[in-house]
Amino acid sequence: MNLHTIDTGYFKLDGGAMFGVVPKTLWNRHNPADEKNLCTWAMRCLLIEDGDKLILIDTGLGDKQDEKFFGFYDLHGNATLIQSIKNAGFKPEDITDVLLTHLHFDHVGGAVKYNTDRSVLLPTFSNATYWSNESHWEWATNPNPREKASFLKENILPLQESGQLKFIEKGISPFENIEFIHVDGHTEQMMLPVISYKNQKIIYVADLIPSSFHLPLPWVMSYDVRPLLTMQEKENVLKKAVEEKCILLFEHDPTYEAAIVEQTEKGVKILERGNLVNFI
């Protein structure tokens, strides 16, 4: 097995939304906001070579939306999903599986693209099986008012129409070296892949713990539909990370890809953080 972090660029989101009830005087020390109160965040995916499988976890924002849409989020940076996959030594048609932690636009946007004349939406990875789960799919395709703006039909429905979409049943994994933690605080049935790599486990924590700054239990995003449940789920995942010495891989941390944590008298704290390659 080989692992490659896949950078897809950066975007900006409101600092208050990303840190919830935490006062700005606290969170601004970690990720300073600009004059519009926006903070920069990464969109970091993971590519897994495992035997004859080439598995991509999440796909970033993509590039098919219009200029007005991207203007809201100040998409920036030189990295793109496809170029980063090529930099890792692969082509889009090499991808065999795409694991979608959940279907918010900054996680699934790159899963679908326009054809050359922008008349038809198609899966970006023509030879891949796309994986979600039935409960989350139903939630995303019949969205509640709170999340409606995050579930864009053009990112989601073409996957089903293509015939390339399959669902993962809770407690059952189609992959030998990947299991899943299902969580409901951020959105219904978000899936956190847990990768067994050599003698280690890596938890791709998606939006449960979007950055290393979000480790304290009360540091929960305003985007979460069930924030109290997020706190409990975060506590459970951090306990697992401490007990099993798991590596946490952060999807949105603008600086640090991964971290190892430890239990202290004041709760779970970061022991070390840096690039994933430093820990594997």
Side-chain angles (χ1 to χ4, degrees):
M1 181 185 286
N2 291 309
L3 305 177
H4 310 269
T5 53
I6 300 295
D7 294 318
T8 71
Y10 298 88
F11 70 148
K12 289 189 175 183
L13 292 172
D14 183 84
M18 285 298 290
F19 290 104
V21 299
V22 178
K24 184 176 181 180
T25 51
L26 296 180
W27 62 253
N28 200 54
R29 304 172 190 170
H30 300 284
N31 194 351
D34 65 13
E35 67 280 359
K36 297 179 181 179
N37 208 49
L38 301 176
C39 301
T40 292
W41 303 97
M43 291 176 286
R44 182 177 299 108
C45 308
L46 183 66
L47 190 62
I48 305 169
E49 294 180 75
D50 192 11
D52 61 354
K53 295 284 188 181
L54 188 61
I55 305 162
L56 177 66
I57 302 177
D58 279 354
T59 65
L61 195 60
D63 59 6
K64 66 181 175 299
Q65 307 298 335
D66 59 26
E67 188 174 338
K68 180 180 179 180
F69 177 88
F70 288 126
F72 293 139
Y73 302 103
D74 190 18
L75 184 65
H76 60 283
N78 296 322
T80 66
L81 173 63
I82 300 303
Q83 188 56 54
S84 292
I85 290 172
K86 290 180 178 178
N87 291 345
F90 303 98
K91 304 183 295 296
E93 53 267 33
D94 295 332
I95 305 296
T96 62
D97 299 88
V98 179
L99 300 180
L100 299 168
T101 60
H102 60 300
L103 299 170
H104 286 169
F105 63 77
D106 55 315
H107 297 257
V108 72
V112 172
K113 67 175 183 178
Y114 274 111
N115 63 350
T116 52
D117 64 1
R118 295 182 65 83
S119 61
V120 179
L121 288 167
L122 300 168
T124 302
F125 306 101
S126 57
N127 296 322
T129 298
Y130 287 79
W131 299 92
S132 182
N133 67 75
E134 196 164 5
S135 294
H136 183 65
W137 184 267
E138 178 64 24
W139 182 271
T141 54
N142 296 281
N144 61 77
R146 182 181 176 90
E147 288 184 278
K148 189 173 183 179
S150 294
F151 292 126
L152 306 180
K153 291 182 178 180
E154 61 268 30
N155 286 337
I156 301 171
L157 297 184
L159 300 178
Q160 188 176 53
E161 293 163 359
S162 71
Q164 293 175 231
L165 177 70
K166 289 186 178 180
F167 293 139
I168 292 173
E169 294 184 38
K170 192 172 183 178
I172 300 174
S173 175
F175 304 98
E176 181 180 359
N177 294 308
I178 304 174
E179 56 187 290
F180 296 92
I181 299 171
H182 293 247
V183 291
D184 296 296
H186 178 62
T187 187
E188 182 79 5
Q189 286 293 285
M190 180 169 67
M191 301 187 296
L192 310 183
V194 182
I195 303 107
S196 295
Y197 177 76
K198 297 181 179 178
N199 295 318
Q200 297 173 299
K201 287 188 176 181
I202 300 162
I203 308 176
Y204 186 91
V205 285
D207 278 352
L208 179 68
I209 311 174
S211 76
S212 61
F213 317 133
H214 286 84
L215 218 66
L217 296 184
W219 291 49
V220 171
M221 295 187 292
S222 293
Y223 299 114
D224 290 12
V225 295
R226 306 179 184 101
L228 293 178
L229 183 55
T230 293
M231 291 173 64
Q232 182 61 59
E233 291 169 341
K234 188 194 298 189
E235 185 174 24
N236 293 341
V237 167
L238 290 175
K239 181 180 179 182
K240 177 181 177 70
V242 169
E243 292 177 350
E244 301 181 25
K245 295 181 171 56
C246 301
I247 298 166
L248 301 178
L249 182 59
F250 302 112
E251 189 157 7
H252 291 309
D253 195 300
T255 305
Y256 303 102
E257 293 180 358
I260 297 173
V261 295
E262 63 178 347
Q263 184 68 50
T264 73
E265 292 182 356
K266 295 184 178 181
V268 177
K269 303 289 185 182
I270 289 177
L271 177 63
E272 186 180 356
R273 59 184 177 178
N275 292 333
L276 179 62
V277 69
N278 296 334
F279 301 111
I280 58 176

